Amino acid sequence: MSIEELANVEITSASKTPEPLSDAAGAIFVISHDDIDRAGATSVPDMLRLAPNLQVAQVASNSFAIASRGFNGTLTNKLLVMIDGRSVYTPLYGGVYWDMQDVMPGDVDRIEVISGPGATLWGANAVNGVVNIITKSSAETQGGVIELGGGNLERGAALRYGGRLGPELTYRLYARATDYSSLDQVGGAERQEGWHKPQGGFRLDWTPGDDVVTLQGNFYRGEEKAGALAHQNVSGDNVLARWQHRFDDGSNLQVQAYFDQASRFDANAEHTGFEIRTFDIDVQYSFQVGDWNDVVIGGGERASRYRITGNDALLFVPDRGTLYLTNGFIQDSISLGDSVTLVLGVKLEDDPYSGLAVLPSARLSWKVGDDTLLWAGVSRAVRSPTPYDTGIVLRLGTVDFLTGSKSFKAEKVTAYQIGYRGQPLPQLTLSVSAFFNDYDDLLSVEPTPVTILPLHFENLMRGHTYGIEAWATYQAADWWRISAGVNWLHQDLGFKPGAGQIVGQEFLGNDPDYQFSVRSSVSLGHGISFEAAVRGVGALPDPRVGSYVEADARISWQVTEFLDVSVEGTNLLHRRHQEFVTDGLMGLVQRSFFVSTRWKI
């Protein structure tokens, strides 16, 4: 992909309609298929490390903390993540179980990463960012591929085959199995937390005339060790159907529905864990009004039926139920002349715990020239309460130590952003954005009057964050491309009047003040390419984790038209380093190598 193609790659997450990246008013980074392929990323967290506007930290072999603009944790509840439009954000606890999400890297078309709120289009929990993983159509993945790889921490095998059932009907099938070793712990011990997970799936695409019909599904089963604790069994199945129709007047209709089942249970006598089944339907219609209005309207309904099995020390009240989420939205992109666009939108969302939420946004962009876009925006978003916030009961012996609260409200943010995106030189693309986020009703832990216990959740924290994000790509030569990114974050969070001040900001997340990355991609000729990357992350304040700088390198050789081989080294500067600590997980990320082959058949 050339620099010009990179600047104008078509995206859909910013407005729910296709538009070139160069015209999108927002802090958006696109991880392309080529980026993933050159880096040799094999898992979703590995792919997301390529986005400079995400903070990605490995906590354990099967656990990652991933966030945008702060509040990072193993279940970051202010980042909405989707795979082909299917939300993988768990409404039980808030956040994403990254070990339960997988896609074949070769099937990913692009990953759109939005910094900042996206609630007007995507709803609650799109507070600090949106990640949308978009896979290729089956028509783009024809033929067979066999992938084998192995190293000191990871082993994997995958088979994918795509074919054609008719002139307008294509399919692909895939099966993939991965196996991961434990990470070392502080002190050099191994926690015995290795895990493996096979996964399979399919995709059908039918393109008769002005219609596009997609049917796709995935299933997986996995077993994860957890040190001295009981092993965990994870499983999931999902199926998604989408119909898109383009009318003669240029308007477009999309109807999408999916079913997603996920479970995670300990392999102990109590069989503690959860199961959740989600049914979702979403309709959107985009059309023009005159020559200066591009409107998209839509709505949807989601029902999430859950069951949680606790034990004597940790339980939920109630332990089962159904969460209904209803929404409707409208967004209008208004052309104010040839170069200025005003985007106004609002979503109304009815949440099972906090009721009706109004999620408005306004963005203004000015296309100064063909290669320069200035933009500014203000928006409001919420993080919805979950059964964790309202129904958890944590006991010490027979004493209730910590409980949820039925009166827990949605956490709120009003976000202000400005930005620049352009191509100041023919060989250079650059994006710079600054933000100020004003938070209210953040989660706090409060004592019960007189008795102190049980502690319970309330909304008595507030504050603001601000920062700067920038990234650039420079085509130094036909055979050499350099990409770099940097971001800086300041947090000023505190208690509201009446708060018990028992635990503070550390309960909301653990974030570095800065991080940076530089990546060099070199084509050496004869099918050989070399990728090298350096990344640095500032110290985490509480629990304290030191800053670090690490480096990765990968060399790949396209031996023939049908065969690729590669060798990759990760975290080469140190034998071990720590990236995150939480909930007793203190994994040390180790230096590793990985050798892989890919046959096209």
Side-chain angles (χ1 to χ4, degrees):
M1 185 177 290
S2 68
I3 284 290
E4 288 75 17
E5 291 170 331
L6 183 67
N8 292 288
V9 64
E10 187 175 88
I11 64 171
T12 56
S13 300
S15 61
K16 279 201 168 184
T17 57
E19 63 180 328
L21 175 63
S22 57
D23 290 349
I28 305 165
F29 183 84
V30 177
I31 304 171
S32 69
H33 173 82
D34 291 345
D35 294 334
I36 295 168
D37 190 51
R38 285 197 305 266
T42 58
S43 68
V44 171
D46 283 346
M47 298 178 208
L48 297 183
R49 280 193 192 273
L50 301 173
N53 52 343
L54 288 178
Q55 208 265 315
V56 179
Q58 186 167 11
V59 186
S61 173
N62 61 344
S63 180
F64 287 81
I66 301 176
S68 170
R69 295 185 176 177
F71 298 90
N72 203 5
T74 50
L75 285 173
T76 302
N77 57 24
K78 296 176 180 60
L79 178 69
L80 184 67
V81 181
M82 296 170 289
I83 299 177
D84 285 328
R86 173 177 56 87
S87 174
V88 296
Y89 180 101
T90 170
L92 295 185
Y93 303 92
V96 176
Y97 285 100
W98 294 104
D99 54 329
M100 298 172 74
Q101 317 306 328
D102 196 14
V103 293
M104 278 196 64
D107 291 346
V108 176
D109 182 70
R110 65 188 185 278
I111 302 175
E112 299 176 4
V113 181
I114 301 176
S115 303
T120 298
L121 294 177
W122 301 107
N125 310 316
V127 175
N128 285 345
V130 177
V131 174
N132 195 4
I133 300 171
I134 300 166
T135 63
K136 294 175 177 287
S137 74
S138 55
E140 298 173 286
T141 51
Q142 294 288 285
V145 174
I146 298 175
E147 296 177 348
L148 296 172
N152 58 328
L153 293 180
E154 176 186 351
R155 293 139 306 270
L159 170 64
R160 184 247 288 156
Y161 185 79
R164 186 173 293 276
L165 299 174
E168 300 164 337
L169 179 60
T170 56
Y171 72 94
R172 73 165 174 256
L173 305 169
Y174 80 92
R176 172 176 163 89
T178 50
D179 179 76
Y180 298 91
S181 302
S182 300
L183 296 186
D184 289 345
Q185 299 292 297
V186 173
E190 189 177 276
R191 191 171 181 262
Q192 296 298 325
E193 57 178 13
W195 60 291
H196 62 272
K197 183 163 73 78
Q199 176 166 323
F202 70 94
R203 175 163 174 159
L204 287 167
D205 291 286
W206 184 35
T207 56
D210 294 326
D211 297 280
V212 177
V213 179
T214 299
L215 179 67
Q216 62 188 87
N218 306 276
F219 62 89
Y220 60 87
R221 303 288 184 269
E223 181 182 10
E224 303 183 359
K225 299 177 182 177
L229 304 177
H231 297 182
Q232 287 194 326
N233 294 320
V234 299
S235 66
D237 312 280
N238 59 75
V239 60
L240 178 147
R242 182 170 50 245
W243 170 53
Q244 298 168 289
H245 178 77
R246 182 177 180 82
F247 295 94
D248 292 340
D249 61 359
S251 61
N252 291 275
L253 174 67
Q254 175 178 294
V255 181
Q256 174 181 286
Y258 68 79
F259 166 76
D260 191 331
Q261 179 274 334
S263 66
R264 189 181 192 97
F265 285 101
D266 290 342
N268 57 11
E270 297 163 318
H271 202 50
T272 54
F274 69 85
E275 179 184 40
I276 183 166
R277 297 179 177 180
T278 299
F279 303 86
D280 182 281
I281 185 167
D282 179 85
V283 180
Q284 70 175 61
Y285 180 58
S286 58
F287 57 97
Q288 284 191 320
V289 178
D291 295 331
W292 50 284
N293 286 77
D294 289 308
V295 181
V296 56
I297 62 173
E301 177 77 22
R302 180 178 301 166
S304 301
R305 189 172 186 176
Y306 71 92
R307 173 176 62 91
I308 304 174
T309 303
N311 54 34
D312 292 339
L314 177 63
L315 62 153
F316 284 75
V317 180
D319 63 355
R320 63 193 63 204
T322 303
L323 308 174
Y324 294 99
L325 187 69
T326 306
N327 74 84
F329 73 91
I330 182 170
Q331 178 170 282
D332 188 5
S333 301
I334 307 166
S335 298
L336 305 177
D338 294 335
S339 58
V340 179
T341 301
L342 175 64
V343 182
L344 299 174
V346 64
K347 169 167 272 193
L348 302 178
E349 192 163 81
D350 188 20
D351 179 84
Y353 293 108
S354 55
L356 186 66
V358 181
L359 308 171
S361 71
R363 289 175 288 157
L364 184 68
S365 63
W366 177 26
K367 194 84 174 183
V368 180
D370 292 339
D371 301 323
T372 302
L373 180 77
L374 300 177
W375 60 269
V378 58
S379 54
R380 180 179 186 272
V382 300
R383 197 276 289 179
S384 294
T386 66
Y388 173 83
D389 302 305
T390 59
I392 188 174
V393 179
L394 179 63
R395 286 180 175 158
L396 294 178
T398 58
V399 177
D400 288 352
F401 177 73
L402 175 67
T403 69
S405 173
K406 302 300 181 189
S407 61
F408 187 81
K409 299 178 290 187
E411 297 180 306
K412 305 173 183 67
V413 65
T414 302
Y416 307 88
Q417 306 178 79
I418 58 173
Y420 158 87
R421 182 183 301 110
Q423 193 172 347
L425 299 172
Q427 307 91 343
L428 176 68
T429 64
L430 175 64
S431 175
V432 181
S433 57
F435 64 92
F436 180 90
N437 288 352
D438 187 15
Y439 296 93
D440 198 6
D441 291 334
L442 294 173
L443 182 146
S444 65
V445 178
E446 303 299 329
T448 297
V450 182
T451 61
I452 307 299
L453 295 180
L455 306 176
H456 60 279
F457 292 146
E458 286 196 30
N459 300 87
L460 294 180
M461 289 196 72
R462 65 185 177 190
H464 58 264
T465 65
Y466 53 87
I468 296 174
E469 301 164 333
W471 53 84
T473 300
Y474 181 64
Q475 191 73 43
D478 292 341
W479 47 272
W480 186 19
R481 177 176 295 179
I482 302 170
S483 303
V486 62
N487 61 58
W488 172 75
L489 171 70
H490 175 80
Q491 297 175 307
D492 187 5
L493 306 175
F495 294 100
K496 298 167 74 171
Q501 304 187 19
I502 293 177
V503 293
Q505 182 177 336
E506 68 275 12
F507 202 69
L508 300 174
N510 200 9
D511 306 295
D513 290 338
Y514 69 88
Q515 68 174 23
F516 67 87
S517 62
V518 180
R519 180 171 293 275
S520 168
S521 305
V522 177
S523 297
L524 299 174
H526 304 287
I528 300 173
S529 61
F530 179 70
E531 187 89 359
V534 175
R535 65 183 191 281
V537 180
L540 304 183
D542 193 1
R544 174 78 180 178
V545 176
S547 62
Y548 68 89
V549 175
E550 268 301 346
D552 308 329
R554 180 177 187 265
I555 186 166
S556 62
W557 179 28
Q558 185 176 4
V559 183
T560 71
E561 180 182 356
F562 304 102
L563 175 63
D564 296 341
V565 296
S566 66
V567 179
E568 177 182 356
T570 306
N571 302 310
L572 298 174
L573 300 185
H574 304 90
R575 184 181 177 190
R576 302 183 184 92
H577 73 278
Q578 196 165 31
E579 297 185 351
F580 208 89
V581 175
T582 185
D583 298 331
L585 298 177
M586 297 183 289
L588 295 173
V589 182
Q590 299 157 234
R591 181 183 297 144
S592 63
F593 69 89
F594 190 76
V595 179
S596 65
T597 60
R598 178 170 54 194
W599 289 283
K600 296 178 182 177
I601 55 177

